[in-house]
Every structure is written in C-alpha cells, then in structure tokens.
C-alpha cells in the first residue's frame, strides 16, 4: 500500500473533505507521495546500476563466445588436418626436437645448468619418439616404390635415381630399427653392434641426400626445358600459356624448398655418419630447425 491509499482511507473515514481544506490536503498528499516516489526511484536506480553494468558485461561476453563457437574456424580446421597427417605430426615433433637443441645451447651459455639439462632430456625423448614411429616406415616406403614404377619419372636418369635412392632407404630403415630396438634392450645385441647399425643407417641416409642433389639438378633441367618449350610453341591462347607458366613457377618454388631442405640435411647426415664428429650440437639444432620448418611449410600447403 502506497501513501495515496493511506491518505484516501483516512479522509473518507473523517468525512471532512470540503473547500480549501480539501484542496490543501490533497496538495500535501500529492507532494508527500511525489517525494516518497522520488526517493524510492533514486534508491532503485542506485541499486540497479551495478546490476546493469554486470548484465551488460555478461551479455557482451556471451555474445562473443556465441559468435566464436558458432562461426566457422578455418584456421583451426587446417591445424587439425595438418596434425592428423603423418607428415604433419612428425614435423611438429621435429621442430620441437631441433629447437630444443638451440635452447639447450642458450641455457648452457647463460649458466642455467638445471634448465639446460631438463630441456636436453626433452630433446632426447622427442628424438627417440620420432625413431620409434618410424618402425613402420617400410610400409609407406613399399607403396612409394610401387608408385614410382607404375608412374615413371620424365627422364631415364630421374627414374634410375629414384630406384637407387629407394634402395638406400630400404637399407636405412631396418638398420635404424635394429639400432633402436638394441639400444632399448628389446632385442639382445652388443653395444658395438647397436652403435654400428646406427652409423650405417645414417650412412645410407647420407647416400640418399647426396643423390638428391643430383636428382634436383636433373629436375631443374627439366623445368627449364618445359619453360623454354612454352615460349617456343608461341601459343595464340595467352590465358592457357600463362596457366602453364604459373604451373612451372609453382614447381620452381617447390624445387627451391627441396634444395633448402637437402642443403640442411647434408651436414647432419655427415655428422651422424662419422665416428667422433666435432659438428657442434647447436649447428645440428639450426640445420634441423630450418629443414623442419621448410618441410612443415610443404605439409601445411598440402593440407590446405
């Protein structure tokens, strides 16, 4: 019950609402009611202000979350495709393996021995994990060998190079498996045999890397010949000619990336193939990081 209702009930009971007195009383009642209403309104506004701000903040947050969850996330989808592929998964750990070698060197330089040792343990663990997941490497390798025979390379030299390089990897994988299984005492081998199998696996990998330089040289010659043929033919269709040139440019950029990767791998294979190598670990980290990033870039494009 408000002030007006209380005043009305009192006046009706007294029966004296006449003339100026009635007017004066009504005015007083109205002023009292207005003051009370104004006071209650001010109190209400004061108490509602924080609530309004709070509700406004919650609304903005809820709206942002709703838009974030309901809107498409192409970058997140791309990352998932990248990590779901075998190559993308391996390249993520490869980057981790070699970047941590650089971090170990930096920590050692600054005297952070404890942190350096912890990061070194992580680097070695990741390297061991990457060797383990290559235990099935011969399976996709056999598929690639079949593919390279069913769809020969554009030149006889490239085809023979592919065969010799595939043979080197067929020798590399079993030796690396023997090394890993022997190093973890899963199969009983002497330490000398384990070490020897590790060195020879890297030497067969070094053969592959060396032949890859020859392979890239022949590929470059093929790319130059294709480009020259496009201009020699003198096509009247400018659009089709530009499309062919664009495709050649894409191959040339891919060739540049492969050359960079191979140039980074070459000192690593020599280092791991040589007993008592003095190649610094930080240089291993730098070469491996560049090679890993370049390969990750290729996988990222392939999973777009």
């Amino acid at each position: 019950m408000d002030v007006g209702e209380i005043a009305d009930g009192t006046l009706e009971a007294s029966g004296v609402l006449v003339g100026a007195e009635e007017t004066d009383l009504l005015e007083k009642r109205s002023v009292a009611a207005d003051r009370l209403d104004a006071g209650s309104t001010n109190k209400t506004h004061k108490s509602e202000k924080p609530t309004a701000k709070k509700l406004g903040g919650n609304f903005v947050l809820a709206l942002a979350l709703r838009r974030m969850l309901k809107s498409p996330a192409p970058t997140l989808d791309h990352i998932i495709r990248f990590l779901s592929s075998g190559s993308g998964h391996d390249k993520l750990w490869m980057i981790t393996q070699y970047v941590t070698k650089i971090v170990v060197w930096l920590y050692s330089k600054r005297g952070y021995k404890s942190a350096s040792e912890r990061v070194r343990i992580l680097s070695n663990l990741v390297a061991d994990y990457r060797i383990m997941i290559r235990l099935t490497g011969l399976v996709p390798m056999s598929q690639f060998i079949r593919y390279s025979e069913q769809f020969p390379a554009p030149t006889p030299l490239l085809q023979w190079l592919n065969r010799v390089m595939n043979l080197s990897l067929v020798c590399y994988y079993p030796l690396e498996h023997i090394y890993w299984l022997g190093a973890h005492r899963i199969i009983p081998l002497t330490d000398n045999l384990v070490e020897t199998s590790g060195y020879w696996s890297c030497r067969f990998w070094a053969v592959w890397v060396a032949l890859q330089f020859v392979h890239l040289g022949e590929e470059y010659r093929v790319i130059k010949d294709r480009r020259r043929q496009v201009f020699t033919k003198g096509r009247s269709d400018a659009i089709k000619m530009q499309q062919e040139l664009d495709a050649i440019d894409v191959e040339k950029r891919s060739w540049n990336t492969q050359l960079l990767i191979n140039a980074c791998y070459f000192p690593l294979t020599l280092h791991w193939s040589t007993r008592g190598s003095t190649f610094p670990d930080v240089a291993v980290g730098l070469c491996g990081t560049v090679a890993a990033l370049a390969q990750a870039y290729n996988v990222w494009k392939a999973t777009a």
Side-chain angles (χ1 to χ4, degrees):
M1 182 179 291
D2 63 14
V3 175
E5 290 175 343
I6 296 174
D8 288 343
T10 304
L11 293 173
E12 287 172 1
S14 63
V16 291
L17 292 176
V18 288
E21 293 180 356
E22 178 182 356
T23 303
D24 183 59
L25 188 59
L26 287 172
E27 288 178 355
K28 289 178 180 180
R29 186 192 70 176
S30 177
V31 171
D34 290 343
R35 287 177 179 175
L36 185 59
D37 288 343
S40 63
T41 302
N42 289 336
K43 290 179 180 179
T44 302
H45 286 328
K46 288 179 182 178
S47 63
E48 286 179 351
K49 281 180 181 179
T51 306
K53 289 181 180 178
K54 186 177 180 181
L55 287 174
N58 289 340
F59 174 74
V60 172
L61 179 61
L63 183 61
L65 287 173
R66 182 180 179 184
R67 287 180 178 177
M68 182 180 69
L69 294 175
K70 286 195 172 184
S71 61
T75 302
L76 180 61
D77 293 341
H78 194 175
I79 292 172
I80 292 172
R81 289 195 302 272
F82 174 83
L83 295 176
S84 298
S85 67
S87 295
H89 178 81
D90 178 65
K91 296 307 166 281
L92 172 67
W93 290 116
M94 183 179 176
I95 293 171
T96 305
Q97 174 188 348
Y98 289 109
V99 168
T100 49
K101 286 184 177 294
I102 301 173
V103 174
V104 167
W105 179 80
L106 290 173
Y107 278 170
S108 299
K109 283 289 184 181
R110 297 186 179 185
Y112 304 147
K113 293 183 179 180
S114 178
S116 175
E117 186 59 29
R118 289 197 298 270
V119 178
R120 189 191 307 277
I121 292 171
L122 173 62
S123 181
N124 293 338
L125 182 64
V126 173
D128 192 68
Y129 170 73
R130 292 187 63 232
I131 296 175
M132 185 190 71
I133 62 177
R134 286 199 294 268
L135 288 173
T136 57
L138 279 174
V139 178
M141 187 67 221
S142 62
Q143 184 185 37
F144 178 76
I145 292 172
R146 294 181 70 252
Y147 178 85
S148 62
E149 292 300 323
Q150 292 172 359
F151 302 94
T155 68
L157 176 58
L158 285 176
Q159 183 63 19
W160 279 104
L161 283 170
N162 285 339
R163 288 169 178 165
V164 178
M165 292 167 72
N166 290 340
L167 179 60
S168 70
L169 290 181
V170 168
C171 297
Y172 157 78
Y173 276 112
L175 287 169
E176 186 185 58
H177 302 340
I178 292 171
Y179 163 78
W180 189 85
L181 294 170
H184 287 277
R185 307 300 179 189
I186 298 173
I187 56 176
L189 295 175
T190 63
D191 292 340
N192 183 58
L193 184 56
V194 171
E195 185 180 359
T196 301
S197 62
Y199 278 117
W200 276 102
S201 68
C202 291
R203 286 165 185 165
F204 280 111
W205 181 30
V207 170
W208 187 95
V209 173
L211 291 175
Q212 177 70 351
F213 282 119
V214 183
H215 199 285
L216 288 169
E218 180 67 5
E219 284 182 10
Y220 184 73
R221 188 187 66 78
V222 172
I223 291 172
K224 284 182 64 178
D225 287 346
R226 285 183 56 198
R227 189 178 187 85
R228 185 169 54 252
Q229 288 173 7
V230 171
F231 286 107
T232 304
K233 288 179 181 178
R235 293 183 181 276
S236 57
D237 189 347
I239 296 177
K240 189 173 182 180
M241 179 179 178
Q242 187 59 48
Q243 289 175 346
E244 291 182 3
L245 290 174
D246 290 342
I248 293 172
D249 287 340
V250 170
E251 289 185 21
K252 181 61 169 60
R253 287 194 293 270
S254 176
W255 183 91
N256 290 336
T257 305
Q258 292 300 326
L259 180 62
L260 174 64
I261 294 169
N262 212 56
C264 291
Y265 271 147
F266 187 66
L268 297 182
T269 57
L270 293 179
H271 164 60
W272 286 317
S273 301
T274 308
R275 294 179 185 269
S277 173
T278 57
F279 196 65
D281 219 31
V282 64
V284 173
L286 288 171
C287 291
T289 298
V290 174
L293 291 173
Q295 291 180 91
Y297 172 72
N298 284 341
V299 179
W300 181 263
K301 289 195 304 180
T303 54

